Amino acid sequence: MRVLILILGLFSAVECSSQNDAFFNERRKMVESQLKNRGIGNDLVLDAFLQVPRHEFVLPEYMKWAYTDGPLPINEGQTISQPYIVAYMTEVLELQRTDRVLEIGTGSGYQAAILAQLCDSVYTIELFEELNKSATKVFRKLEYTNIYSKVGDGYLGWPEKAPFDAIIVTCSPSHVPEPLQAQLAEGGRMIIPVVAGYIQKLVLLQKKNGKIRKKDVLPVRFVPMLDEQGEKY
Ligand code: SAH
């Protein structure tokens, strides 16, 4: 009897673990070669990438490429970002367990899930209803209880839930939206891809004594930030 209980116990432990899926080995390789080898050093961030099943966030036809080193198409002509970029943007936010984070551009929901592993709560806004719906479905399936999502224009932020300890923007406007700067908490950090001529640059902002300091960190390519008429910001 005791043996049976032990076996059952072992079985359920394995079943609950996120390491028990067909893609775990690919995920481990992704973490080693795409993240660690390129300088992502925060163990908590690396562990989040090991835990979150990226293949659940991509379209079924792209599942076998879920752990490859690049962005992939999702619905509405949008993309799920390259794992390295998701990791880089997450790491520079230097998240604390108690942080409340705002994300603009839910897309597939993958970035939000990574953040949810590392902080208290994630508020995420998506312009397209269809993408909000599919991401919410995955959050529910994976039993996330600290991700709050809504449909809307993220340029305006989420004033009712502000201030945020960190803000991450995953679509690219021509300038840093004023409402997002206002909704950043004292000491808070924001990472955002801002259009700069033909390219975009990731800009890291920090609010100190009520003042915003900016630093350019990396050239990148994101989809544009759009308003509700589909015009670029
Ligand atoms: N973080 C996403 C990346 C999605 S790409 C992921 O992990 O998959 C960027 C997303 O920003 C797209 O889904 C796009 O529809 C959305 N977007 C564009 N303009 C927006 C706006 N003004 N407000 C909210 N979302 C916007």
Side-chain angles (χ1 to χ4, degrees):
M1 187 62 180
R2 206 175 291 155
V3 171
L4 183 65
I5 291 171
L6 188 68
I7 290 172
L8 280 176
L10 267 180
F11 184 70
S12 60
V14 171
E15 204 179 33
C16 292
S17 157
S18 62
Q19 307 188 351
N20 182 35
D21 66 65
F23 291 90
F24 182 69
N25 262 338
E26 285 192 46
R27 202 151 61 243
R28 207 160 38 89
K29 277 188 211 146
M30 171 192 81
V31 168
E32 283 295 322
S33 64
Q34 298 174 36
L35 309 186
K36 258 191 185 171
N37 283 353
R38 289 189 185 134
I40 304 295
N42 182 322
D43 285 336
L44 293 173
V45 172
L46 293 169
D47 190 55
F49 279 81
L50 215 49
Q51 299 297 328
V52 179
R54 184 172 162 94
H55 60 276
E56 297 281 0
F57 293 88
V58 304
L59 294 168
E61 59 269 38
Y62 291 105
M63 218 182 231
K64 58 174 175 291
W65 289 292
Y67 296 95
T68 51
D69 189 13
L72 291 170
I74 56 175
N75 285 328
E76 306 289 356
Q78 306 302 320
T79 53
I80 174 172
S81 311
Q82 180 191 16
Y84 173 71
I85 294 294
V86 178
Y88 183 87
M89 292 174 80
T90 304
E91 190 171 51
V92 295
L93 290 176
E94 294 178 12
L95 295 176
Q96 305 291 314
R97 272 273 162 238
T98 49
D99 282 352
R100 299 168 63 255
V101 181
L102 174 67
E103 181 195 27
I104 310 304
T106 314
S108 68
Y110 179 64
Q111 172 80 72
I114 292 286
L115 296 167
Q117 299 281 130
L118 297 161
C119 67
D120 174 73
S121 42
V122 180
Y123 295 83
T124 180
I125 308 176
E126 171 55 52
L127 193 62
F128 291 98
E129 195 171 345
E130 163 89 22
L131 292 174
N132 167 273
K133 256 197 209 151
S134 47
T136 312
K137 224 167 133 184
V138 185
F139 298 150
R140 230 177 285 135
K141 179 175 175 187
L142 299 177
E143 299 180 351
Y144 281 100
T145 53
N146 61 342
I147 304 178
Y148 306 92
S149 59
K150 72 166 185 176
V151 178
D153 181 355
Y155 185 94
L156 306 170
W158 199 328
E160 302 81 10
K161 303 290 179 189
F164 298 99
D165 303 299
I167 300 180
I168 179 167
V169 183
T170 68
C171 46
S172 184
S174 61
H175 56 278
V176 181
E178 183 50 49
L180 298 184
Q181 298 192 45
Q183 289 169 35
L184 194 60
E186 175 58 30
R189 297 161 84 88
M190 180 183 342
I191 185 83
I192 176 168
V194 180
V195 176
Y198 291 107
I199 61 151
Q200 300 160 6
K201 55 189 184 181
L202 270 185
V203 181
L204 179 64
L205 295 88
Q206 185 159 29
K207 196 182 259 186
K208 278 237 169 101
N209 303 322
K211 287 208 183 85
I212 300 272
R213 286 191 318 199
K214 292 184 193 174
K215 190 167 95 179
D216 296 353
V217 289
L218 201 74
V220 282
R221 251 182 87 182
F222 276 85
V223 296
M225 182 182 277
L226 304 174
D227 64 18
E228 276 166 349
Q229 281 69 49
E231 298 292 327
K232 287 183 192 170
Y233 271 114

